[in-house]
């Protein structure tokens, strides 16, 4: 079945460091891919998305590129801030199936001043 | 502002009691979803509904029930049959149609056992 695998956390960085959170997926067809962010005690917020191969989603300095050849959608940011501390979820929506998102287990990011 | 409202924010359940979590959206979205999140875990799908008066079981539906009488509302009942209900519950909605539409989430309800 379809699945999403994320790197385990926590990821601990100093402010202004470069961030990469790895995400790989297994899916039939051509899924859409998403990154969500969850701040403590809150719901999930859509961070960015990509709907076809080689698409780059970007928002608030975060980027991720849909790589079909490596089945990956890694999240990157050039310079993190303390306010970026949160849990990040990678997810896929199966092509042709409007029902479900399949989520990774989440990666906690901790940024220290 | 359009969005998804979950209430209450915190809820306590006694043994043998059913409790209902509210989820209302004014985004005019067709599909609605309920997820359960346990500490340090990802999201697991409980139930979902793509249209009024219709819903389907997700991966962990046992001990839960839902209704979809109105497009805007998708309440979740945690029944006494759910033996481990302590978790963070998230409601989401989506416009429907193409799979590239993202889901939008509420702020969640945290359920605990008394």
């Amino acid at each position: 079945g379809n699945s999403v695998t994320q790197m385990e956390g926590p990821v601990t960085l100093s402010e202004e460091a470069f961030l990469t959170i790895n995400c790989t997926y297994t899916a039939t067809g051509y899924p859409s891919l998403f990154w969500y962010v969850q701040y403590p005690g809150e719901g999930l917020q859509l961070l960015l998305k990509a709907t076809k191969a080689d698409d780059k989603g970007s928002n608030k300095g975060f980027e991720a590129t849909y790589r079909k050849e490596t089945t990956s959608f890694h999240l990157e940011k050039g310079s993190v801030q303390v306010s970026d501390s949160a849990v990040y979820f990678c997810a896929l929506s199966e092509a042709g199936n409007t029902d479900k998102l399949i989520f990774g287990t989440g990666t906690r990011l901790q940024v220290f001043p | 502002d359009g969005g998804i409202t979950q209430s209450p924010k915190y809820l306590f359940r006694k043994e043998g009691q059913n409790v209902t979590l509210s989820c209302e959206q004014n985004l005019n979205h067709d599909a609605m979803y309920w997820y359960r999140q346990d500490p340090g875990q990802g999201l697991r799908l409980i139930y979902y509904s793509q249209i009024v008066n219709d819903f389907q079981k997700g991966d962990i539906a046992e001990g839960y029930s839902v209704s979809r009488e109105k497009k805007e509302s998708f309440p979740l009942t945690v029944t006494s049959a759910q033996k481990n209900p302590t978790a963070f519950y998230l409601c989401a909605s989506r416009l429907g149609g193409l799979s590239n539409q993202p889901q939008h989430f509420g702020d969640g309800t945290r359920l605990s056992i008394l």
Side-chain angles (χ1 to χ4, degrees):
Chain A
N2 296 343
S3 65
V4 174
T5 302
Q6 288 182 239
M7 62 188 289
E8 288 198 20
V11 173
T12 304
L13 295 172
S14 297
E15 204 164 26
E16 299 183 2
F18 185 86
L19 167 71
T20 300
I21 300 178
N22 290 338
C23 171
T24 57
Y25 67 90
T26 301
T28 55
Y30 300 91
S32 293
L33 301 172
F34 306 87
W35 276 101
Y36 284 85
V37 58
Q38 185 178 33
Y39 298 101
E42 298 184 8
L44 275 66
Q45 300 175 24
L46 178 68
L47 184 58
L48 53 84
K49 72 175 188 179
T51 59
K52 60 183 187 296
D54 300 324
D55 264 3
K56 178 186 283 188
S58 62
N59 186 25
K60 299 180 182 179
F62 291 90
E63 293 183 342
T65 301
Y66 188 144
R67 302 283 188 201
K68 192 172 190 309
E69 64 276 13
T70 55
T71 62
S72 65
F73 192 54
H74 305 321
L75 183 68
E76 296 181 337
K77 186 175 185 183
S79 176
V80 294
Q81 305 300 312
V82 172
S83 58
D84 293 326
S85 298
V87 180
Y88 292 82
F89 291 91
C90 185
L92 72 82
S93 179
E94 299 163 313
N97 180 342
T98 62
D99 298 338
K100 304 177 186 179
L101 280 181
I102 298 174
F103 286 90
T105 53
T107 302
R108 181 174 299 278
L109 170 65
Q110 298 174 324
V111 181
F112 294 96
Chain B
D1 284 341
I4 301 174
T5 301
Q6 290 188 242
S7 61
K9 192 170 179 67
Y10 300 95
L11 187 57
F12 298 91
R13 196 191 87 169
K14 296 179 181 179
E15 292 289 339
Q17 185 181 41
N18 294 351
V19 292
T20 297
L21 285 60
S22 171
C23 178
E24 303 277 334
Q25 55 98 359
N26 60 4
L27 299 166
N28 199 32
H29 284 175
D30 302 299
M32 297 186 74
Y33 307 81
W34 275 105
Y35 293 91
R36 170 178 172 140
Q37 186 178 29
D38 292 285
Q41 311 259 333
L43 280 70
R44 292 186 288 170
L45 183 65
I46 304 172
Y47 268 98
Y48 62 101
S49 168
Q50 289 185 281
I51 194 170
V52 175
N53 292 323
D54 188 41
F55 48 82
Q56 287 79 39
K57 293 182 179 180
D59 301 317
I60 55 165
E62 186 174 351
Y64 300 96
S65 66
V66 294
S67 63
R68 186 85 187 276
E69 297 177 1
K70 299 186 299 182
K71 187 175 185 178
E72 304 79 25
S73 179
F74 191 42
L76 173 74
T77 296
V78 184
T79 74
S80 57
Q82 172 49 246
K83 297 307 179 187
N84 184 24
T86 298
F88 190 49
Y89 291 86
L90 287 162
C91 179
S93 69
R94 183 163 80 164
L95 184 59
L98 299 175
S99 61
N100 62 8
Q101 295 294 328
Q103 290 185 13
H104 299 261
F105 285 81
D107 285 337
T109 292
R110 190 166 300 279
L111 176 61
S112 303
I113 295 297
L114 281 178

